[in-house]
Amino acid sequence: MSEQLFVNKHASRKEKYQTLIPQLKALLDNESDTIANMANTVAALKQTFNFYWVGFYIVKRNELVVGPFQGTIACSRISWGKGVCGTAWKEKRTVIVPNVNLFAEHIACDSASLSEIVVPIFYKNEVIAVLDIDSQYENYFDETDAEFLGLIADIIKNKL
Ligand code: SME
């Protein structure tokens, strides 16, 4: 396992994802524990992009329960269909919210968050967790994030 994460601070966001993904695969390669892998994934994302909040919510019974994250304290539980996270779970798709104040379902755990992306993680066609990232800037996430975070969700999925 590589103990150090290389981050080129001057690279574009796409290039940062391209540099991160092989390192993340190597980091998770010999570890089968999902929580350990989620924890290192959020740490690597935080270290690379300095996102305001990055973490996992894990499906437990009929709710999402907060899992490993980096950032300010967060809501512990989110119901199916509620918030951006619950919407991504219900609709089984990545949801990008450019301005959380204009998204009726948004759950404000921290009023500093202005935009958000939530990527579902599947096991046998069922959502078993979501990766949630918040930014303090409006309109911060786009299709590049959706594409590469989807690849990161697949890395976690393939370890299940
Ligand atoms: N805003 C999220 C709740 C989780 S926090 O952002 C950490 C939502 O609407 O689902």
Side-chain angles (χ1 to χ4, degrees), residues 36-96:
N37 286 333
M38 287 178 167
N40 265 327
T41 299
V42 293
L45 283 165
K46 179 77 175 173
Q47 213 176 316
T48 302
F49 298 103
N50 198 26
F51 290 132
Y52 184 72
W53 195 95
V54 49
F56 288 93
Y57 278 88
I58 300 167
V59 175
K60 293 189 179 173
R61 298 174 186 266
N62 57 348
E63 284 180 313
L64 288 167
V65 181
V66 76
F69 72 93
Q70 301 232 340
T72 51
I73 58 167
C75 321
S76 300
R77 291 172 188 266
I78 298 173
S79 300
W80 184 81
K82 298 294 175 192
V84 188
C85 293
T87 301
W89 177 19
K90 177 182 175 185
E91 298 183 2
K92 296 185 170 182
R93 65 177 181 92
T94 293
V95 178
I96 296 174

Side-chain angles (χ1 to χ4, degrees), residues 53 57 74-75 78 82-86 105-109 113 116 118 132 134:
W53 195 95
Y57 278 88
C75 321
I78 298 173
K82 298 294 175 192
V84 188
C85 293
E105 272 301 336
H106 175 252
I107 298 167
C109 295
S113 291
E116 182 162 358
V118 179
D132 178 19
D134 290 13

